[in-house]
Amino acid sequence: MASQKSSEELKTRTPKRQRGHDRVVILLEAAAKVFARKGYEAATMTEIAAEANSSIGSLYQFFPTKPLLAEALHIERLERLKAGLRGMAERSTGLSAADSGEAIFHALGAFMEEYPEFSVLAGRRDIPKERKARSRAELKELIAGVLRQAQPPISDDIALMSGIVLELLRIVVAVAAEPDAAEDRRVAGELRLMLRKRLEEAATKG
């Protein structure tokens, strides 16, 4: 009898969990649209709830504050970015070092086009320092994984090269948050050319 009751309780809880998960997805996607459209500071929880066709109470039930909501969305998008870099490492064997760098930038461009809210989230001032440091280390290692597949191999310091690539990616993300900053976009383009030359040099040493 107890076993039957436990099974029934589990069946009851599972749909509730699924509904809760589905609701979180809807709320996060609504937040993404509002952050991309309004920016982080200007976006309000009321607007996000309206975008999700949800009550403000339901939004607060899952995300009590805007920083918590933004952090959850940022982490979700970071996981997508990291998954893309992992896949790139698997597919990039045989590319030159310079072409590997270009591939990373091309992938970031496609990612930013699909998730325009990412630059807004990355530019927040209230990102937890510990999480920022951890994400930076993870991204740097994933970039290094792509560069390690280069042919001919990079004989320079891979950690240094991946750090340079990551810093340039951060500039591109920052520029994406300022769509009217044409001069900054030109600077980002020049930096990409400089990176290509640097990676070419790194592959010819030794």
Side-chain angles (χ1 to χ4, degrees):
M1 186 73 174
S3 176
Q4 181 180 356
K5 184 177 181 182
S6 252
S7 176
E8 289 174 354
E9 286 176 351
L10 180 60
K11 288 179 181 177
T12 302
R13 286 199 301 268
T14 299
K16 285 183 179 178
R17 286 200 199 99
Q18 185 60 47
R19 286 197 299 273
H21 175 269
D22 293 345
R23 197 72 201 142
V24 166
V25 170
I26 290 170
L27 293 170
L28 288 176
E29 292 305 317
K33 291 177 183 177
V34 175
F35 287 144
R37 187 167 65 239
K38 299 289 293 286
Y40 176 65
E41 296 297 336
T44 68
M45 295 290 271
T46 300
E47 290 172 313
I48 292 168
E51 184 72 36
N53 293 317
S54 173
S55 69
I56 191 68
S58 177
L59 175 58
Y60 281 131
Q61 178 185 355
F62 290 101
F63 302 104
T65 67
K66 186 169 73 169
L68 286 174
L69 173 57
E71 179 67 1
L73 180 60
H74 193 185
I75 289 173
E76 197 278 340
R77 295 311 194 232
L78 273 171
E79 288 303 316
R80 290 176 185 262
L81 178 58
K82 288 188 285 187
L85 287 170
R86 290 189 195 99
M88 184 178 297
E90 296 172 1
R91 299 188 304 270
S92 61
T93 301
L95 288 178
S96 70
D99 286 344
S100 294
E102 281 296 318
I104 292 171
F105 272 90
H106 178 76
L108 180 69
F111 179 84
M112 296 293 293
E113 186 173 341
E114 185 172 2
Y115 304 109
E117 69 280 1
F118 184 76
S119 60
V120 175
L121 296 168
R124 289 179 296 130
R125 297 175 183 174
D126 55 11
I127 299 175
K129 292 181 180 179
E130 299 79 9
R131 208 268 294 151
K132 182 184 286 189
R134 184 172 64 252
S135 295
R136 175 183 170 77
E138 290 171 348
L139 289 172
K140 187 177 176 181
E141 179 53 35
L142 288 169
I143 291 168
V146 176
L147 297 180
R148 288 191 191 102
Q149 306 302 315
Q151 293 296 330
I154 294 175
S155 55
D156 211 331
D157 185 342
I158 290 284
L160 173 63
M161 293 295 100
S162 63
I164 291 171
V165 173
L166 181 58
E167 287 306 312
L168 291 180
L169 289 175
R170 287 175 58 179
I171 292 173
V172 172
V173 169
V175 168
E178 300 291 340
D180 296 327
E183 191 65 29
D184 287 343
R185 288 196 293 274
R186 289 178 58 198
V187 169
E190 288 296 319
L191 288 173
R192 286 180 65 171
L193 289 176
M194 291 170 63
L195 172 66
R196 185 174 186 88
K197 291 178 182 178
R198 183 68 180 85
L199 287 171
E200 286 172 348
E201 292 172 1
T204 57
K205 288 182 179 180

PDB file of all heavy atoms in Angstrom, residues 120-143:
ATOM      1  N   VAL A 120      24.402  42.160 -23.520  1.00  0.00           N
ATOM      2  CA  VAL A 120      23.804  42.910 -22.414  1.00  0.00           C
ATOM      3  C   VAL A 120      24.085  42.217 -21.086  1.00  0.00           C
ATOM      4  O   VAL A 120      24.492  42.840 -20.097  1.00  0.00           O
ATOM      5  CB  VAL A 120      22.279  43.051 -22.624  1.00  0.00           C
ATOM      6  CG1 VAL A 120      21.623  43.720 -21.412  1.00  0.00           C
ATOM      7  CG2 VAL A 120      21.986  43.839 -23.890  1.00  0.00           C
ATOM      8  N   LEU A 121      23.926  40.908 -21.078  1.00  0.00           N
ATOM      9  CA  LEU A 121      24.152  40.135 -19.855  1.00  0.00           C
ATOM     10  C   LEU A 121      25.621  40.162 -19.446  1.00  0.00           C
ATOM     11  O   LEU A 121      25.947  40.279 -18.269  1.00  0.00           O
ATOM     12  CB  LEU A 121      23.701  38.688 -20.075  1.00  0.00           C
ATOM     13  CG  LEU A 121      22.202  38.494 -20.337  1.00  0.00           C
ATOM     14  CD1 LEU A 121      21.931  37.081 -20.832  1.00  0.00           C
ATOM     15  CD2 LEU A 121      21.389  38.786 -19.087  1.00  0.00           C
ATOM     16  N   ALA A 122      26.499  40.070 -20.432  1.00  0.00           N
ATOM     17  CA  ALA A 122      27.935  40.053 -20.145  1.00  0.00           C
ATOM     18  C   ALA A 122      28.425  41.399 -19.628  1.00  0.00           C
ATOM     19  O   ALA A 122      29.462  41.471 -18.953  1.00  0.00           O
ATOM     20  CB  ALA A 122      28.713  39.664 -21.395  1.00  0.00           C
ATOM     21  N   GLY A 123      27.699  42.464 -19.941  1.00  0.00           N
ATOM     22  CA  GLY A 123      28.112  43.796 -19.525  1.00  0.00           C
ATOM     23  C   GLY A 123      27.587  44.222 -18.164  1.00  0.00           C
ATOM     24  O   GLY A 123      27.874  45.338 -17.701  1.00  0.00           O
ATOM     25  N   ARG A 124      26.856  43.342 -17.484  1.00  0.00           N
ATOM     26  CA  ARG A 124      26.310  43.700 -16.167  1.00  0.00           C
ATOM     27  C   ARG A 124      27.422  43.946 -15.150  1.00  0.00           C
ATOM     28  O   ARG A 124      28.467  43.308 -15.196  1.00  0.00           O
ATOM     29  CB  ARG A 124      25.417  42.573 -15.641  1.00  0.00           C
ATOM     30  CG  ARG A 124      24.118  42.412 -16.365  1.00  0.00           C
ATOM     31  CD  ARG A 124      23.323  41.255 -15.779  1.00  0.00           C
ATOM     32  NE  ARG A 124      24.027  39.990 -15.965  1.00  0.00           N
ATOM     33  CZ  ARG A 124      24.262  39.105 -15.000  1.00  0.00           C
ATOM     34  NH1 ARG A 124      23.882  39.363 -13.761  1.00  0.00           N
ATOM     35  NH2 ARG A 124      24.881  37.974 -15.260  1.00  0.00           N
ATOM     36  N   ARG A 125      27.164  44.869 -14.240  1.00  0.00           N
ATOM     37  CA  ARG A 125      28.133  45.170 -13.186  1.00  0.00           C
ATOM     38  C   ARG A 125      27.940  44.294 -11.961  1.00  0.00           C
ATOM     39  O   ARG A 125      28.808  44.292 -11.067  1.00  0.00           O
ATOM     40  CB  ARG A 125      28.022  46.645 -12.780  1.00  0.00           C
ATOM     41  CG  ARG A 125      28.350  47.608 -13.919  1.00  0.00           C
ATOM     42  CD  ARG A 125      28.113  49.034 -13.498  1.00  0.00           C
ATOM     43  NE  ARG A 125      28.353  49.956 -14.598  1.00  0.00           N
ATOM     44  CZ  ARG A 125      28.108  51.268 -14.539  1.00  0.00           C
ATOM     45  NH1 ARG A 125      27.627  51.790 -13.412  1.00  0.00           N
ATOM     46  NH2 ARG A 125      28.344  52.046 -15.575  1.00  0.00           N
ATOM     47  N   ASP A 126      26.823  43.576 -11.899  1.00  0.00           N
ATOM     48  CA  ASP A 126      26.543  42.791 -10.697  1.00  0.00           C
ATOM     49  C   ASP A 126      26.802  41.296 -10.903  1.00  0.00           C
ATOM     50  O   ASP A 126      26.261  40.465 -10.177  1.00  0.00           O
ATOM     51  CB  ASP A 126      25.097  43.018 -10.229  1.00  0.00           C
ATOM     52  CG  ASP A 126      24.072  42.735 -11.327  1.00  0.00           C
ATOM     53  OD1 ASP A 126      24.454  42.174 -12.377  1.00  0.00           O
ATOM     54  OD2 ASP A 126      22.899  43.074 -11.137  1.00  0.00           O
ATOM     55  N   ILE A 127      27.634  40.934 -11.894  1.00  0.00           N
ATOM     56  CA  ILE A 127      27.986  39.531 -12.076  1.00  0.00           C
ATOM     57  C   ILE A 127      28.845  39.086 -10.892  1.00  0.00           C
ATOM     58  O   ILE A 127      29.836  39.755 -10.562  1.00  0.00           O
ATOM     59  CB  ILE A 127      28.768  39.314 -13.384  1.00  0.00           C
ATOM     60  CG1 ILE A 127      27.919  39.735 -14.597  1.00  0.00           C
ATOM     61  CG2 ILE A 127      29.197  37.852 -13.535  1.00  0.00           C
ATOM     62  CD1 ILE A 127      28.661  39.656 -15.911  1.00  0.00           C
ATOM     63  N   PRO A 128      28.508  37.987 -10.246  1.00  0.00           N
ATOM     64  CA  PRO A 128      29.332  37.505  -9.118  1.00  0.00           C
ATOM     65  C   PRO A 128      30.780  37.273  -9.557  1.00  0.00           C
ATOM     66  O   PRO A 128      31.030  36.653 -10.583  1.00  0.00           O
ATOM     67  CB  PRO A 128      28.647  36.180  -8.733  1.00  0.00           C
ATOM     68  CG  PRO A 128      27.240  36.328  -9.206  1.00  0.00           C
ATOM     69  CD  PRO A 128      27.310  37.142 -10.457  1.00  0.00           C
ATOM     70  N   LYS A 129      31.717  37.792  -8.782  1.00  0.00           N
ATOM     71  CA  LYS A 129      33.131  37.705  -9.158  1.00  0.00           C
ATOM     72  C   LYS A 129      33.618  36.270  -9.293  1.00  0.00           C
ATOM     73  O   LYS A 129      34.394  35.942 -10.189  1.00  0.00           O
ATOM     74  CB  LYS A 129      33.989  38.456  -8.141  1.00  0.00           C
ATOM     75  CG  LYS A 129      33.789  39.958  -8.160  1.00  0.00           C
ATOM     76  CD  LYS A 129      34.690  40.649  -7.146  1.00  0.00           C
ATOM     77  CE  LYS A 129      34.487  42.158  -7.175  1.00  0.00           C
ATOM     78  NZ  LYS A 129      35.346  42.841  -6.174  1.00  0.00           N
ATOM     79  N   GLU A 130      33.154  35.406  -8.394  1.00  0.00           N
ATOM     80  CA  GLU A 130      33.593  34.009  -8.428  1.00  0.00           C
ATOM     81  C   GLU A 130      33.137  33.337  -9.714  1.00  0.00           C
ATOM     82  O   GLU A 130      33.885  32.588 -10.346  1.00  0.00           O
ATOM     83  CB  GLU A 130      33.051  33.232  -7.220  1.00  0.00           C
ATOM     84  CG  GLU A 130      33.513  33.760  -5.871  1.00  0.00           C
ATOM     85  CD  GLU A 130      32.734  35.002  -5.425  1.00  0.00           C
ATOM     86  OE1 GLU A 130      31.718  35.354  -6.077  1.00  0.00           O
ATOM     87  OE2 GLU A 130      33.160  35.630  -4.437  1.00  0.00           O
ATOM     88  N   ARG A 131      31.881  33.594 -10.088  1.00  0.00           N
ATOM     89  CA  ARG A 131      31.358  32.978 -11.308  1.00  0.00           C
ATOM     90  C   ARG A 131      32.058  33.538 -12.538  1.00  0.00           C
ATOM     91  O   ARG A 131      32.355  32.814 -13.494  1.00  0.00           O
ATOM     92  CB  ARG A 131      29.852  33.205 -11.398  1.00  0.00           C
ATOM     93  CG  ARG A 131      29.134  32.113 -12.188  1.00  0.00           C
ATOM     94  CD  ARG A 131      28.983  32.431 -13.635  1.00  0.00           C
ATOM     95  NE  ARG A 131      28.097  33.558 -13.835  1.00  0.00           N
ATOM     96  CZ  ARG A 131      28.204  34.376 -14.868  1.00  0.00           C
ATOM     97  NH1 ARG A 131      29.177  34.234 -15.737  1.00  0.00           N
ATOM     98  NH2 ARG A 131      27.368  35.386 -15.017  1.00  0.00           N
ATOM     99  N   LYS A 132      32.363  34.844 -12.510  1.00  0.00           N
ATOM    100  CA  LYS A 132      33.054  35.459 -13.639  1.00  0.00           C
ATOM    101  C   LYS A 132      34.431  34.808 -13.838  1.00  0.00           C
ATOM    102  O   LYS A 132      34.819  34.486 -14.961  1.00  0.00           O
ATOM    103  CB  LYS A 132      33.212  36.960 -13.402  1.00  0.00           C
ATOM    104  CG  LYS A 132      33.879  37.687 -14.568  1.00  0.00           C
ATOM    105  CD  LYS A 132      34.103  39.153 -14.259  1.00  0.00           C
ATOM    106  CE  LYS A 132      32.843  39.944 -14.308  1.00  0.00           C
ATOM    107  NZ  LYS A 132      33.077  41.412 -14.212  1.00  0.00           N
ATOM    108  N   ALA A 133      35.158  34.612 -12.738  1.00  0.00           N
ATOM    109  CA  ALA A 133      36.487  34.007 -12.827  1.00  0.00           C
ATOM    110  C   ALA A 133      36.395  32.565 -13.321  1.00  0.00           C
ATOM    111  O   ALA A 133      37.207  32.124 -14.145  1.00  0.00           O
ATOM    112  CB  ALA A 133      37.167  34.056 -11.467  1.00  0.00           C
ATOM    113  N   ARG A 134      35.400  31.834 -12.840  1.00  0.00           N
ATOM    114  CA  ARG A 134      35.240  30.440 -13.252  1.00  0.00           C
ATOM    115  C   ARG A 134      34.881  30.346 -14.738  1.00  0.00           C
ATOM    116  O   ARG A 134      35.441  29.523 -15.474  1.00  0.00           O
ATOM    117  CB  ARG A 134      34.161  29.774 -12.402  1.00  0.00           C
ATOM    118  CG  ARG A 134      33.995  28.282 -12.684  1.00  0.00           C
ATOM    119  CD  ARG A 134      33.046  27.639 -11.679  1.00  0.00           C
ATOM    120  NE  ARG A 134      31.692  28.164 -11.781  1.00  0.00           N
ATOM    121  CZ  ARG A 134      31.135  28.968 -10.880  1.00  0.00           C
ATOM    122  NH1 ARG A 134      31.817  29.369  -9.821  1.00  0.00           N
ATOM    123  NH2 ARG A 134      29.883  29.400 -11.026  1.00  0.00           N
ATOM    124  N   SER A 135      33.966  31.197 -15.176  1.00  0.00           N
ATOM    125  CA  SER A 135      33.566  31.189 -16.589  1.00  0.00           C
ATOM    126  C   SER A 135      34.729  31.568 -17.492  1.00  0.00           C
ATOM    127  O   SER A 135      34.923  30.982 -18.561  1.00  0.00           O
ATOM    128  CB  SER A 135      32.399  32.160 -16.809  1.00  0.00           C
ATOM    129  OG  SER A 135      31.257  31.746 -16.117  1.00  0.00           O
ATOM    130  N   ARG A 136      35.517  32.533 -17.062  1.00  0.00           N
ATOM    131  CA  ARG A 136      36.677  32.952 -17.839  1.00  0.00           C
ATOM    132  C   ARG A 136      37.654  31.782 -18.006  1.00  0.00           C
ATOM    133  O   ARG A 136      38.143  31.528 -19.106  1.00  0.00           O
ATOM    134  CB  ARG A 136      37.372  34.127 -17.147  1.00  0.00           C
ATOM    135  CG  ARG A 136      38.663  34.552 -17.822  1.00  0.00           C
ATOM    136  CD  ARG A 136      39.355  35.666 -17.049  1.00  0.00           C
ATOM    137  NE  ARG A 136      40.691  35.897 -17.570  1.00  0.00           N
ATOM    138  CZ  ARG A 136      40.957  36.558 -18.682  1.00  0.00           C
ATOM    139  NH1 ARG A 136      39.980  37.085 -19.380  1.00  0.00           N
ATOM    140  NH2 ARG A 136      42.201  36.713 -19.091  1.00  0.00           N
ATOM    141  N   ALA A 137      37.922  31.073 -16.918  1.00  0.00           N
ATOM    142  CA  ALA A 137      38.853  29.945 -16.980  1.00  0.00           C
ATOM    143  C   ALA A 137      38.317  28.845 -17.899  1.00  0.00           C
ATOM    144  O   ALA A 137      39.072  28.237 -18.674  1.00  0.00           O
ATOM    145  CB  ALA A 137      39.101  29.397 -15.578  1.00  0.00           C
ATOM    146  N   GLU A 138      37.017  28.587 -17.817  1.00  0.00           N
ATOM    147  CA  GLU A 138      36.420  27.538 -18.653  1.00  0.00           C
ATOM    148  C   GLU A 138      36.466  27.913 -20.123  1.00  0.00           C
ATOM    149  O   GLU A 138      36.807  27.081 -20.981  1.00  0.00           O
ATOM    150  CB  GLU A 138      34.973  27.303 -18.215  1.00  0.00           C
ATOM    151  CG  GLU A 138      34.851  26.632 -16.855  1.00  0.00           C
ATOM    152  CD  GLU A 138      33.429  26.592 -16.339  1.00  0.00           C
ATOM    153  OE1 GLU A 138      32.554  27.284 -16.924  1.00  0.00           O
ATOM    154  OE2 GLU A 138      33.177  25.876 -15.352  1.00  0.00           O
ATOM    155  N   LEU A 139      36.133  29.161 -20.439  1.00  0.00           N
ATOM    156  CA  LEU A 139      36.167  29.604 -21.837  1.00  0.00           C
ATOM    157  C   LEU A 139      37.591  29.583 -22.386  1.00  0.00           C
ATOM    158  O   LEU A 139      37.828  29.183 -23.534  1.00  0.00           O
ATOM    159  CB  LEU A 139      35.567  31.010 -21.963  1.00  0.00           C
ATOM    160  CG  LEU A 139      34.053  31.106 -21.777  1.00  0.00           C
ATOM    161  CD1 LEU A 139      33.620  32.567 -21.740  1.00  0.00           C
ATOM    162  CD2 LEU A 139      33.319  30.372 -22.895  1.00  0.00           C
ATOM    163  N   LYS A 140      38.522  30.012 -21.574  1.00  0.00           N
ATOM    164  CA  LYS A 140      39.921  30.025 -21.999  1.00  0.00           C
ATOM    165  C   LYS A 140      40.395  28.613 -22.337  1.00  0.00           C
ATOM    166  O   LYS A 140      41.071  28.394 -23.351  1.00  0.00           O
ATOM    167  CB  LYS A 140      40.785  30.634 -20.895  1.00  0.00           C
ATOM    168  CG  LYS A 140      42.240  30.846 -21.301  1.00  0.00           C
ATOM    169  CD  LYS A 140      43.012  31.529 -20.176  1.00  0.00           C
ATOM    170  CE  LYS A 140      44.489  31.653 -20.532  1.00  0.00           C
ATOM    171  NZ  LYS A 140      45.260  32.294 -19.448  1.00  0.00           N
ATOM    172  N   GLU A 141      40.023  27.643 -21.505  1.00  0.00           N
ATOM    173  CA  GLU A 141      40.433  26.260 -21.754  1.00  0.00           C
ATOM    174  C   GLU A 141      39.754  25.701 -23.004  1.00  0.00           C
ATOM    175  O   GLU A 141      40.369  24.951 -23.781  1.00  0.00           O
ATOM    176  CB  GLU A 141      40.101  25.392 -20.546  1.00  0.00           C
ATOM    177  CG  GLU A 141      40.460  23.924 -20.706  1.00  0.00           C
ATOM    178  CD  GLU A 141      41.903  23.688 -21.130  1.00  0.00           C
ATOM    179  OE1 GLU A 141      42.800  24.459 -20.705  1.00  0.00           O
ATOM    180  OE2 GLU A 141      42.149  22.721 -21.887  1.00  0.00           O
ATOM    181  N   LEU A 142      38.499  26.062 -23.244  1.00  0.00           N
ATOM    182  CA  LEU A 142      37.797  25.593 -24.441  1.00  0.00           C
ATOM    183  C   LEU A 142      38.420  26.187 -25.707  1.00  0.00           C
ATOM    184  O   LEU A 142      38.535  25.496 -26.728  1.00  0.00           O
ATOM    185  CB  LEU A 142      36.313  25.955 -24.353  1.00  0.00           C
ATOM    186  CG  LEU A 142      35.510  25.138 -23.333  1.00  0.00           C
ATOM    187  CD1 LEU A 142      34.127  25.745 -23.136  1.00  0.00           C
ATOM    188  CD2 LEU A 142      35.394  23.683 -23.782  1.00  0.00           C
ATOM    189  N   ILE A 143      38.809  27.446 -25.644  1.00  0.00           N
ATOM    190  CA  ILE A 143      39.496  28.073 -26.783  1.00  0.00           C
ATOM    191  C   ILE A 143      40.840  27.382 -27.022  1.00  0.00           C
ATOM    192  O   ILE A 143      41.220  27.097 -28.165  1.00  0.00           O
ATOM    193  CB  ILE A 143      39.692  29.579 -26.530  1.00  0.00           C
ATOM    194  CG1 ILE A 143      38.338  30.291 -26.553  1.00  0.00           C
ATOM    195  CG2 ILE A 143      40.630  30.190 -27.573  1.00  0.00           C
ATOM    196  CD1 ILE A 143      38.387  31.719 -26.030  1.00  0.00           C
TER     197      ILE A 143
END
